[in-house]
Amino acid sequence: MWSKTLKLLAVSIVLVIGNVNAQNKALVNTGKSTYAKLSSVDMGNVTWTNGFWADRFKVCRDTMIPNLWRIYTDPKISHAYRNFEIAAGLDTGSHEGPPFHDGDFYKLFEAVASMYASTHDPNLDALMDKTIAVIAKAQRADGYIHTPTIIEERKNTGKEKAFNDRLNFETYNLGHLMTAACVHYRATGKTTLLKVAVKATDYLYNFYKTASPELARNAICPSHYMGVVEMYRTTRDPKYLELAKNLINIRGLMENGTDDNQDRIPFRQQTQAMGHAVRANYLFAGAADVYAETGDTTLMHTLNLMWNDVVNRKMYITGGCGSLYDGVSPDGTSYNPNDVQKVHQAYGRDYQLPNFTAHNETCANIGNVLWNWRMLQITGKAQYADVMELALYNSVLSGISLSGRDFLYTNPLSYSDDQPFSQRWSKDRVGYIKLSNCCPPNVVRTISEISDYAYSVSDKGIWFNLYGGNVLSTKLKDGSSIKLTQITNYPWDGKISINVDQAPGKATSMFFRIPGWSKNAVLTINGKAVTTILSLGDYAEINREWKTGDKIELNLPMPVTMMEANPLVEETRNQVAVKRGPVVYCLESADLAKGQRVFNIALSSKNELKPEMIKIDNSNIMSLTGKADVRDEASWKNQLYKEIATPKQNAVDIRLIPYYAWGNRGHVDMETWIPLDR
Ligand SMILES: [Zn+2]
């Protein structure tokens, strides 16, 4: 029996090695997904050259990854790596840190692996080899791996058992192991971590064969739906797809599921997004992965309902998700107080989008990117790229400082020291978020991987999803080579120049994304405007026999835009948010004269804010400068209401900065929604 199993294992590993040679090295590999219209280019095919993402990538390579690796391997700060060493029997001691710490470490490992795909730095390869040896040693013979349990088992304390407590986050950790292993394998061609992940996925497959619905509730924060499907894409082992389908099907079957965990009712019966926003977005991303492989329209039906609900009623203007720190789920079908369930870090009701108390966990905003990326690959619809881009430039990047060393767990739209209560989690960026360090490695892996989201390919040709200075060298679906150079200062400037360095030898389509915010876009090829209609929020397809040396120029005008929210968002009535291109702006006390307060500033709808490049912490930032009115407000101390007065107003100079760059100049007050002059 065992020798037969080993033979099968050997066959499957030979098969996967074959896959790597066949250009299947995409971050999310939808190359063979029957129900995905697009697939990704291979990791390493896009090289950032100059501009915004090149700058962030450099900080990621030189600071974010080395800094976080140092933290995660210093047991005095983070016990994440030490837990693996103890579980492997290489050290003594106890597990420390939250139960999802293994998953945090795998996310950091994934950041290293994806960075290696771009840089081929042999030091990173050696670092990963060394680390994998420890992880492999920590794994149980049956494939189970979760350091809190394995450490107790080594000590024979009988304290921890596998899948004993759903808050142990075992499947979350396993999911990140699977994703990290697929990325490592595609980046290096090595199967060392993939073998660990195969054993772990097999363990999970066998576990769910016998698990009761109650145990199935272990699916807290289901990163493993994405992980299991990616394992299927890597190995083509049909039982992994069976597992992924089953994981979605068993949700909501237990008696005491919760709205917080999106399992009070089965996934296909859900009509609105609710509960913990990281868990919700990971669930949606995982369900989209299952759809890409199966074409199960009942899943897509629910995904469409969720997307419309989130984007039209529940998402912040920054792409942030999860307005509530704590609350109750919408009442469901009845108003029986006994049925009202607690939720945390969660989506609120429709249009419930407070600013000071917005939770918007960085991981939820990353989950929004992961979900929309999958929807984009499935459909080829630019509306998903718009949401991805919005979240990336605003509520994802806000989770990490410009220096790359400090982090935010929550991403509020305003902050004031006058608030007479303090909210959990620091509103100043910190180097290490004790107990909730899920976001830092998540944001670092995302920045390391942005180049993998820039382009897609389909049977027809190449798709431009995210703009930025880069060189692309890839193969189209038919195997023909294409090389392009993109020169742009996007998102600070909407002019994008593309040179065709190597053209495929036949008529091919290029699909240029015209963002939903971009009016009056102009596209020229070799100086001549194209006749194709450029629709907002759509890809413009240009099919021709491209020649080496062709020059394409896309101009996306970026006027400063004043945005307002649906009046049902009561927290933002009579206020405006300022946007330019995909970037949302905010006002910080650091940019006001001494004695002036952020919350006394009012903007006229006819203001003329002008872009001006500045540097904050060595990063180029496009600020907006202009005039606003400052109201001489009397003190509100100990007062809830007062009679309206005509305030004395003075015109003052103001400067707005991109929302993602807030909190990089010390402790400040900040607001994104600014009152309109009255
Ligand atoms: Zn997080």
Side-chain angles (χ1 to χ4, degrees):
M1 177 66 198
W2 271 109
S3 67
K4 193 177 167 197
T5 312
L6 285 175
K7 260 185 218 152
L8 280 174
L9 197 64
V11 167
S12 76
I13 284 168
V14 168
L15 280 175
V16 292
I17 288 168
N19 275 352
V20 143
N21 291 335
Q23 302 287 319
N24 273 329
K25 295 186 261 182
L27 176 71
V28 177
N29 187 5
T30 51
K32 291 199 170 72
S33 305
T34 313
Y35 299 92
K37 191 170 172 183
L38 310 184
S39 55
S40 316
V41 300
D42 282 351
M43 289 190 292
N45 282 177
V46 179
T47 308
W48 297 120
T49 48
N50 288 299
F52 188 90
W53 288 120
D55 287 350
R56 290 296 90 205
F57 182 82
K58 188 170 180 294
V59 175
C60 185
R61 183 192 64 204
D62 298 343
T63 305
M64 293 178 196
I65 288 178
N67 176 61
L68 210 53
W69 192 271
R70 179 185 57 76
I71 286 172
Y72 270 46
T73 52
D74 179 352
K76 289 199 276 307
I77 309 173
S78 159
H79 220 254
Y81 186 59
R82 180 56 56 86
N83 290 335
F84 281 102
E85 290 179 313
I86 299 169
L90 302 168
D91 209 328
T92 54
S94 299
H95 181 274
E96 286 179 36
F100 45 83
H101 226 23
D102 290 2
D104 296 342
F105 188 78
Y106 295 136
K107 273 182 277 183
L108 176 59
F109 185 96
E110 182 190 328
V112 175
S114 58
M115 181 56 69
Y116 176 80
S118 293
T119 64
H120 299 288
D121 178 349
N123 294 324
L124 295 182
D125 196 25
L127 185 70
M128 291 190 288
D129 285 348
K130 200 177 109 200
T131 308
I132 291 166
V134 175
I135 294 171
K137 219 163 182 246
Q139 187 172 34
R140 235 167 47 183
D142 64 358
Y144 177 81
I145 177 163
H146 178 64
T147 62
T149 308
I150 290 172
I151 289 171
E152 292 303 320
E153 283 178 353
R154 271 193 174 273
K155 295 191 204 167
N156 272 324
T157 60
K159 267 196 206 154
E160 293 280 354
K161 277 195 217 119
F163 292 105
N164 211 18
D165 181 346
R166 71 195 189 93
L167 290 176
N168 271 346
F169 285 86
E170 281 144 310
T171 48
Y172 168 85
N173 290 342
L174 291 171
H176 283 297
L177 167 64
M178 294 169 198
T179 305
C182 290
V183 171
H184 173 257
Y185 168 62
R186 291 169 192 167
T188 63
K190 295 182 182 179
T191 56
T192 41
L193 192 61
L194 187 63
K195 283 180 191 163
V196 175
V198 164
K199 278 172 73 179
T201 316
D202 288 349
Y203 175 88
L204 207 59
Y205 174 81
N206 292 324
F207 171 76
Y208 275 103
K209 277 261 175 215
T210 55
S212 64
E214 217 33 61
L215 277 174
R217 284 189 79 197
N218 274 295
I220 278 199
C221 211
S223 68
H224 59 303
Y225 299 175
M226 286 178 274
V228 170
V229 175
E230 216 53 48
M231 286 297 289
Y232 168 70
R233 290 171 178 155
T234 303
T235 64
R236 308 308 293 180
D237 185 336
K239 71 178 190 290
Y240 295 167
L241 184 58
E242 180 197 333
L243 171 62
K245 285 192 282 189
N246 187 29
L247 288 167
I248 304 277
N249 293 343
I250 58 175
R251 290 185 70 90
L253 293 181
M254 73 291 298
E255 278 181 6
N256 55 350
T258 63
D259 284 338
D260 201 25
N261 203 40
Q262 298 89 29
D263 58 6
R264 182 173 60 82
I265 53 175
F267 177 69
R268 290 172 179 84
Q269 289 173 24
Q270 291 176 15
T271 56
Q272 51 182 316
M274 58 174 72
H276 197 290
V278 183
R279 300 177 191 181
N281 290 356
Y282 279 25
L283 163 63
F284 304 154
D289 268 337
V290 174
Y291 174 84
E293 302 306 324
T294 63
D296 179 345
T297 52
T298 61
L299 291 178
M300 187 46 72
H301 175 75
T302 306
L303 285 170
N304 286 335
L305 287 176
M306 296 299 124
W307 194 86
N308 283 318
D309 189 39
V310 169
V311 171
N312 295 321
R313 291 182 285 277
K314 288 178 175 152
M315 186 177 79
Y316 281 90
I317 194 162
T318 55
C321 295
S323 56
L324 304 181
Y325 270 66
D326 302 288
V328 291
S329 72
D331 304 324
T333 50
S334 71
Y335 188 70
N336 176 353
N338 295 329
D339 291 344
V340 177
Q341 293 184 347
K342 192 187 161 224
V343 295
H344 76 303
Q345 310 179 3
Y347 282 114
R349 291 175 182 275
D350 294 351
Y351 307 110
Q352 187 181 19
L353 295 165
N355 296 314
F356 287 121
T357 60
H359 188 267
N360 282 344
E361 182 180 334
T362 306
C363 285
N365 312 337
I366 292 168
N368 200 18
V369 172
L370 298 173
W371 174 28
N372 276 281
W373 172 247
R374 285 154 175 80
M375 298 297 276
L376 172 63
Q377 299 309 289
I378 290 166
T379 61
K381 285 192 182 165
Q383 62 187 26
Y384 302 113
D386 276 3
V387 176
M388 261 185 79
E389 180 178 64
L390 181 76
L392 282 172
Y393 278 117
N394 300 290
S395 54
V396 172
L397 270 188
S398 59
I400 186 163
S401 67
L402 297 169
S403 72
R405 292 176 186 280
D406 298 305
F407 303 92
L408 282 174
Y409 183 72
T410 66
N411 295 279
L413 283 267
S414 304
Y415 177 78
S416 169
D417 274 338
D418 287 350
Q419 283 279 20
F421 54 88
S422 57
Q423 298 168 93
R424 292 193 298 278
W425 296 290
S426 171
K427 302 301 166 244
D428 293 328
R429 296 166 187 284
V430 294
Y432 187 66
I433 304 168
K434 272 204 180 115
L435 297 177
S436 293
N437 206 56
C438 48
C439 302
N442 214 2
V443 73
V444 170
R445 74 165 172 153
T446 304
I447 295 170
S448 180
E449 292 163 352
I450 297 276
S451 58
D452 302 310
Y453 298 124
Y455 298 90
S456 296
V457 291
S458 70
D459 293 337
K460 287 179 150 184
I462 189 97
W463 298 61
F464 290 72
N465 305 319
L466 299 177
Y467 297 110
N470 69 70
V471 173
L472 167 73
S473 174
T474 197
K475 281 193 166 41
L476 296 174
K477 286 257 195 181
D478 63 5
S480 57
S481 295
I482 184 167
K483 285 185 185 164
L484 305 168
T485 301
Q486 197 181 135
I487 302 161
T488 179
N489 200 20
Y490 193 92
W492 308 136
D493 187 289
K495 191 179 147 198
I496 299 145
S497 304
I498 298 146
N499 296 333
V500 179
D501 302 328
Q502 184 182 345
K506 60 176 181 82
T508 305
S509 290
M510 290 198 197
F511 295 84
F512 300 96
R513 179 176 145 252
I514 311 299
W517 47 261
S518 169
K519 294 181 192 128
N520 307 316
V522 178
L523 180 63
T524 63
I525 297 168
N526 300 327
K528 269 178 73 178
V530 299
T531 51
T532 310
I533 294 168
L534 308 179
S535 316
L536 299 188
D538 209 346
Y539 283 89
E541 178 183 359
I542 309 292
N543 182 282
R544 58 187 268 154
E545 197 164 320
W546 300 93
K547 298 269 181 285
T548 299
D550 277 349
K551 290 197 184 319
I552 305 154
E553 201 160 295
L554 176 61
N555 217 325
L556 305 172
M558 283 186 182
V560 175
T561 314
M562 310 281 270
M563 306 292 292
E564 64 179 343
N566 185 307
L568 290 172
V569 183
E570 56 185 287
E571 291 87 347
T572 57
R573 292 204 64 164
N574 301 320
Q575 296 158 64
V576 288
V578 178
K579 256 186 102 181
R580 183 169 177 272
V583 178
V584 177
Y585 281 78
C586 70
L587 177 63
E588 266 197 334
S589 50
D591 285 311
L592 294 177
K594 208 169 183 334
Q596 286 174 6
R597 301 189 65 250
V598 161
F599 305 100
N600 289 354
I601 299 289
L603 270 181
S604 159
S605 60
K606 292 188 193 66
N607 78 78
E608 290 184 359
L609 292 163
K610 295 264 184 304
E612 185 189 328
M613 193 63 100
I614 58 168
K615 269 195 193 291
I616 298 179
D617 212 1
N618 230 10
S619 281
N620 288 323
I621 299 285
M622 188 65 82
S623 70
L624 299 176
T625 60
K627 296 272 183 210
D629 284 326
V630 61
R631 298 173 188 160
D632 185 13
E633 293 272 10
S635 169
W636 279 91
K637 203 165 187 195
N638 283 331
Q639 213 175 358
L640 185 56
Y641 306 106
K642 65 182 179 186
E643 192 177 331
I644 191 167
T646 307
K648 262 203 311 196
Q649 294 198 159
N650 296 310
V652 290
D653 293 324
I654 59 155
R655 181 191 297 283
L656 305 182
I657 62 162
Y659 169 79
Y660 79 83
W662 89 277
N664 279 278
R665 294 174 292 179
H667 182 77
V668 286
D669 280 0
M670 178 276 289
E671 75 177 356
T672 308
W673 288 97
I674 302 171
L676 266 176
D677 246 345
R678 62 178 184 235

